[in-house]
Amino acid sequence: MQGLIAGGRMHPALEGLIVGFALAAVLVGAEYLLLRRESAERAERYKKKIEFDDTQRRRLRSLMRFCVFIPVGFAAAFWLMFR
């Protein structure tokens, strides 16, 4: 078994898992920033402090639940495509 330093290739499922984690992190981060900006605009308009409303919290929570499955799906897809 060759190591990664010796020129071996990473297992496709592990590679897919890493790509899936990165994609999930980007999705959650982008959604958080967009929701934060929307909350800031609303807070400025109504002269209140910045906080997520119930709909925004549920939206972010549902996206985070979906993102739990992205790495597993990418790992399976990479394993099937590149084995």
Side-chain angles (χ1 to χ4, degrees):
M1 182 167 135
Q2 291 180 338
L4 291 177
I5 297 173
R9 187 170 152 86
M10 191 183 309
H11 192 276
L14 181 60
E15 194 173 338
L17 190 71
I18 292 170
V19 170
F21 273 127
L23 180 65
V26 167
L27 282 174
V28 170
E31 187 69 21
Y32 176 80
L33 290 175
L34 290 171
L35 289 175
R36 181 81 176 172
R37 184 178 351 154
E38 184 180 324
S39 294
E41 290 172 359
R42 186 179 60 247
E44 184 180 325
R45 195 172 37 234
Y46 294 120
K47 307 290 190 247
K48 293 185 177 182
K49 71 176 194 172
I50 298 174
E51 60 182 22
F52 290 152
D53 64 3
D54 192 44
T55 305
Q56 290 172 323
R57 280 192 295 273
R58 279 188 274 146
R59 182 173 159 185
L60 191 59
R61 198 175 312 130
S62 68
L63 179 69
M64 289 168 61
R65 270 190 246 123
F66 171 71
C67 285
V68 167
F69 298 105
I70 290 177
V72 176
F74 268 71
F78 273 52
W79 180 72
L80 288 172
M81 288 190 300
F82 301 115
R83 61 182 167 141

